[in-house]
Amino acid sequence: MQQIQFVKNIQFTRLIKADGRLREFNFRKMRVLQETLFSIDVVDDRGNRIMFRMRKDDQHWTIIPQPLPQWITDQEKRMSEMIEEELA
């Protein structure tokens, strides 16, 4: 008899004050080649959606390096805390 395995889908949205404005950050947990990542997207001042990923390094979630606006990278620690709160 084949066993069915259920994987909990985790998606959540948080408001973070970045660059002087409240911005909506959307988080989605994903698995890529046995690694757990979070895909995050946020809209900039012109309405463009910026997408990036975070991975867990030691104790904290960090942004996978790519060119991003400073107002996003400045929030890395806060986003890491929010992911940990959601997973707890």
Side-chain angles (χ1 to χ4, degrees):
M1 186 167 154
Q2 190 175 13
Q3 226 178 22
I4 299 174
Q5 183 179 15
F6 291 96
V7 177
K8 185 178 178 185
N9 184 24
I10 297 178
Q11 286 183 272
F12 60 99
T13 299
R14 294 290 182 270
L15 291 175
I16 300 174
K17 190 166 189 174
D19 200 29
R21 295 186 44 202
L22 266 182
R23 298 176 188 267
E24 189 175 278
F25 284 75
N26 302 298
F27 296 78
R28 185 172 65 90
K29 184 179 177 183
M30 55 195 300
R31 297 274 301 167
V32 178
L33 301 173
Q34 303 301 317
E35 182 179 24
T36 300
L37 302 173
F38 270 86
S39 170
I40 302 154
D41 68 82
V42 62
V43 176
D44 70 8
D45 292 336
R46 292 194 256 152
N48 299 312
R49 188 160 303 279
I50 300 171
M51 300 179 76
F52 57 98
R53 293 180 179 175
M54 294 182 78
R55 75 161 46 101
K56 190 153 190 177
D57 293 336
D58 298 321
Q59 300 299 316
H60 304 285
W61 291 87
T62 58
I63 295 171
I64 295 174
Q66 72 178 68
L68 290 170
Q70 185 71 38
W71 58 266
I72 291 177
T73 56
D74 286 349
Q75 300 305 317
E76 183 176 65
K77 183 176 185 284
R78 184 70 187 120
M79 289 186 288
S80 177
E81 292 167 356
M82 291 178 167
I83 290 170
E84 287 299 325
E85 288 170 11
E86 191 66 28
L87 294 177

